[in-house]
Amino acid sequence: MKRLSALLGGALSAVLVTAAVATTAAATTTSATPQAAATTSPVLSPTPYMGWNTYYGLGGDFTETTIRSVADSMVSRGLKKAGYDIVWLDGGWQADESRSAAGDLVPNPAKFPNGLKPLVDYIHSKGLKAGIYTDAGPYIPGKCGLGSGGYYQHDADTFAAWGFDAVKVDYLCGIAANLDPKTVFTEFANALHNNASHRPLIFNLCNPVTSPDWGNYPESQQSINSWSYAPGIAQSWRTYTDVGFQGDIKFKDVLRNYDANARHPEVVKPGAFSDPDYLAPELGMSDEEFRTQLTLWSVAAAPLVVGSDIRKLSATTIGMLTDPDVIAINQDKAAVQAVRVGAAGTTETWVKRLADGSRAVVLLNRGDSAKTLTTTASAVGLQGGRFTLKNAWTNAVTESAGTISAAVPAHGTALFRVSPAVGVPGIPHVTAGIPQVTQVGTQVLPEGSAPVVAGGDELRAEVAVRNDGVLPVFKPTVALTAAAGWTVTPVGKAPALLAPGQKTTLAFKVTLPATAVAGNASLTATTQYETLGYGKQQQVTVSPLVIAPVPPDGVAALSHHPWISATSGWMSPTVDESVGGGSPISLVSQTYPTGIGVASPSLVRYYVGQQCTKFTATVGIDDAVRNVGPEGGTSTFQVIGDGKVLFDSGVVDRDHPKPVDVDLTGVRVLDLVVSDAGDGGYNDRADWAAPTATC
């Protein structure tokens, strides 16, 4: 209890404190085991370890040459200097027959003709460390690539003799063999600790098993239970299932893993860290979404291990990965994991207590539209009347009277290092909002909705400006610009000054030319104001817009019409095939020539521009799931027009498709939504069969 209360210096809510009592008591009981020999060792990796892993970017397709090339790139691209110093081989390094008749693990001779020891020596020669992969269970062909079951000490001695510095121990064969993870991981931890070479080995405990997506397993076998024993035996422990698939990482799954990882901050300590899985830039997320992942992983005191092929990453991504202020927050020696302040929701505040008494504060926007988010210094555990805010991503340093605010893009974050201010007052903390489209024509947009615009539309856009500093600012102005051919007209007049605590909203009328081409566009706001002693200040904020394609015409197969956006819980939406491709749309043995295949959760958005009168389809679970397994395979389908539900299927299973016939009169934006029906996303291969718009 005492440790958790210190996370926020006493600013935790009563609910969080109550929950902490139970979890801390459980942790105390379960970690006090005589088997955990590693607890008496010197602390390995007192701050979260950093590095790179083959899994998401390369899969099993890597060789000695590949790994040498990556090691070279980690040095030449500045990752080593920034702290990423482990080169980690995941599954795929082993031979097809992974263990010899003598019981020795065997590297793949085609990939590693010289064995692994020379490769490890090369990695060490670059000033880097080397990591390797195995499984806690016995090798079971078809279930996992290799396993150390029955050979824990032998394999630990082998890894140490080869010169490895870190070992990832999976649980795929472990769950296939129905083993108890606490027992086998503790045994493996002892083997690593007692290796014959007396070599310190970082232990990444990797149990990714969760329910219901993995099946119906007891909690004791799932990753959500690892916190109760792993801190005493490992340097890190996976807290949920994989963050995605090889080459396919989705933002929603990043948030899912972060939320699961956040459940037990009280057990994190120097040398023992919760692991929400790897960083995954340029594998499906936008730059903004990856910046959010890196921000959240940093305040979570999570290991920073890059899963992408770093040789191919853009300069922008490398810049994010090596940002010194963000890494400093992750590597803070207090080794405290962030906790949420206030309620969960579309927008949230997370705070991490730092060793010098300051706070790392995250303003998180999970939603699909930009927002200005706020919290207070007192809410994050700080006292006083003046506070210095350093934006970890922009390096801007401002002073606040107590409000911490930022304009946060959709799926974005703001990250501040907040501490009491001293001396002469600093630059006032002014937040210039991201331009918000609040109205299209006569339609007022619902709060939090992503705007969709089309040629000829007239928009109302607003920019909110607030002064949270201790000094006034003068002559605040906002200039709004758009693409060539668009017209922008100010509505109203800016005030002469903004006193501390004041805010204003400046509005604009924006008109698109009728010839506006479908695609991406933006509105850019340049906000300027004058300050006492610091001259003129300027902030530039940008709001992305989607210009919709023309509506369908006549009786149209909607799957053949360009959508505005489309998401799928697994893989990507497919046209005229079940999700994942390879088979036609098929419901209870009836094949449909047109359709959209998705997995829950899914949103497919179309622009119909008040030109259509009817939408018809048949919805159901694709017959492809009959070749996969009996689990799951239930979804709900909704047709939504301009935010209003026009059709709700209720639960649909694989044997009972349902017809859809919806009136679209007056609808501008059409959303086709698929959700999980409560049993997880397992086998939710959902179809919009023969989706037809009459326009």
Side-chain angles (χ1 to χ4, degrees), residues 486-518:
W486 298 30
T487 60
V488 179
T489 306
V491 178
K493 186 178 179 181
L497 66 82
L498 282 178
Q502 284 190 332
K503 59 184 177 180
T504 187
T505 299
L506 303 178
F508 301 84
K509 182 175 73 173
V510 181
T511 305
L512 281 69
T515 56
V517 178

Side-chain angles (χ1 to χ4, degrees), residues 287-482:
D287 285 349
E288 192 66 55
E289 290 170 337
F290 173 64
R291 186 180 290 107
T292 294
Q293 185 192 19
L294 183 52
T295 297
L296 295 176
W297 265 230
S298 293
V299 297
L304 299 184
V305 178
V306 183
S308 313
D309 187 344
I310 62 168
R311 300 169 300 173
K312 299 178 180 178
L313 295 179
S314 68
T316 297
T317 296
I318 295 297
M320 286 191 278
L321 286 169
T322 58
D323 187 284
D325 292 314
V326 177
I327 290 176
I329 289 171
N330 174 261
Q331 295 290 301
D332 185 77
K333 64 183 181 180
V336 170
Q337 181 174 316
V339 295
R340 189 180 63 244
V341 174
T346 303
T347 61
E348 295 174 344
T349 299
W350 293 80
V351 58
K352 171 186 175 76
R353 179 179 57 80
L354 302 175
D356 64 359
S358 64
R359 302 292 189 267
V361 178
V362 175
L363 302 176
L364 168 63
N365 181 6
R366 299 170 182 258
D368 295 329
S369 63
K371 290 181 177 295
T372 294
L373 306 184
T374 65
T375 188
T376 63
S378 61
V380 302
L382 294 173
Q383 303 299 319
R386 296 169 50 204
F387 301 91
T388 298
L389 277 57
K390 182 173 185 182
N391 189 313
W393 285 113
T394 69
N395 297 323
V397 179
T398 55
E399 185 169 312
S400 168
T403 297
I404 303 164
S405 58
V408 185
H411 297 185
T413 53
L415 174 60
F416 293 102
R417 190 169 189 135
V418 184
S419 57
V422 295
V424 176
I427 299 173
H429 183 71
V430 173
T431 296
I434 296 170
Q436 297 281 295
V437 175
T438 59
Q439 187 171 325
V440 179
T442 59
Q443 181 184 22
V444 177
L445 297 185
E447 175 73 18
S449 63
V452 174
V453 302
D457 279 346
E458 182 177 286
L459 321 175
R460 179 182 174 90
E462 298 178 350
V463 178
V465 183
R466 56 183 297 143
N467 178 14
D468 293 316
V470 296
L471 298 175
V473 298
F474 304 91
K475 301 179 182 178
T477 62
V478 177
L480 189 70
T481 57

Side-chain angles (χ1 to χ4, degrees), residues 117-368:
K117 182 67 167 66
L119 174 60
V120 172
D121 290 343
Y122 182 80
I123 292 170
H124 288 162
S125 75
K126 309 296 289 187
L128 298 165
K129 300 173 184 176
I132 197 166
Y133 167 97
T134 188
D135 192 284
Y139 173 52
I140 304 173
K143 298 291 186 180
C144 57
L146 77 163
S148 290
Y151 294 88
Y152 290 168
Q153 195 61 62
H154 187 77
D155 290 355
D157 292 344
T158 299
F159 295 148
W162 285 344
F164 281 99
D165 306 283
V167 183
K168 172 182 175 179
V169 184
D170 212 335
Y171 188 57
L172 304 180
C173 280
I175 196 66
N178 197 32
L179 301 178
D180 174 62
K182 178 181 177 181
T183 299
V184 297
F185 281 129
T186 301
E187 291 174 358
F188 213 128
N190 288 331
L192 293 173
H193 175 70
N194 296 317
N195 72 81
S197 301
H198 305 292
R199 186 173 186 82
L201 291 170
I202 289 172
F203 175 22
N204 171 217
L205 187 159
C206 183
N207 176 7
V209 176
T210 55
S211 291
D213 288 345
W214 280 71
N216 188 24
Y217 294 105
E219 183 172 315
S220 62
Q221 285 190 303
Q222 297 184 53
S223 59
I224 58 173
N225 190 53
S226 297
W227 70 273
S228 67
Y229 60 88
I233 61 173
Q235 280 64 57
S236 69
W237 55 94
R238 279 282 294 278
T239 51
Y240 210 62
T241 191
D242 291 355
V243 78
F245 298 90
Q246 292 177 9
D248 182 24
I249 310 296
K250 300 181 186 301
F251 182 65
K252 69 176 183 63
D253 293 333
V254 164
L255 294 179
R256 175 202 65 195
N257 276 32
Y258 178 76
D259 290 339
N261 191 80
R263 292 172 182 167
H264 292 287
E266 72 278 8
V267 298
V268 170
K269 59 186 179 182
F273 303 100
S274 298
D275 174 17
D277 204 8
Y278 301 143
L279 299 170
E282 300 183 29
L283 292 178
M285 291 187 288
S286 67
D287 285 349
E288 192 66 55
E289 290 170 337
F290 173 64
R291 186 180 290 107
T292 294
Q293 185 192 19
L294 183 52
T295 297
L296 295 176
W297 265 230
S298 293
V299 297
L304 299 184
V305 178
V306 183
S308 313
D309 187 344
I310 62 168
R311 300 169 300 173
K312 299 178 180 178
L313 295 179
S314 68
T316 297
T317 296
I318 295 297
M320 286 191 278
L321 286 169
T322 58
D323 187 284
D325 292 314
V326 177
I327 290 176
I329 289 171
N330 174 261
Q331 295 290 301
D332 185 77
K333 64 183 181 180
V336 170
Q337 181 174 316
V339 295
R340 189 180 63 244
V341 174
T346 303
T347 61
E348 295 174 344
T349 299
W350 293 80
V351 58
K352 171 186 175 76
R353 179 179 57 80
L354 302 175
D356 64 359
S358 64
R359 302 292 189 267
V361 178
V362 175
L363 302 176
L364 168 63
N365 181 6
R366 299 170 182 258
D368 295 329

Side-chain angles (χ1 to χ4, degrees), residues 552-559 561 691-695:
D553 187 26
V555 179
L558 207 54
S559 58
H561 188 75
T692 304
T694 302
C695 307

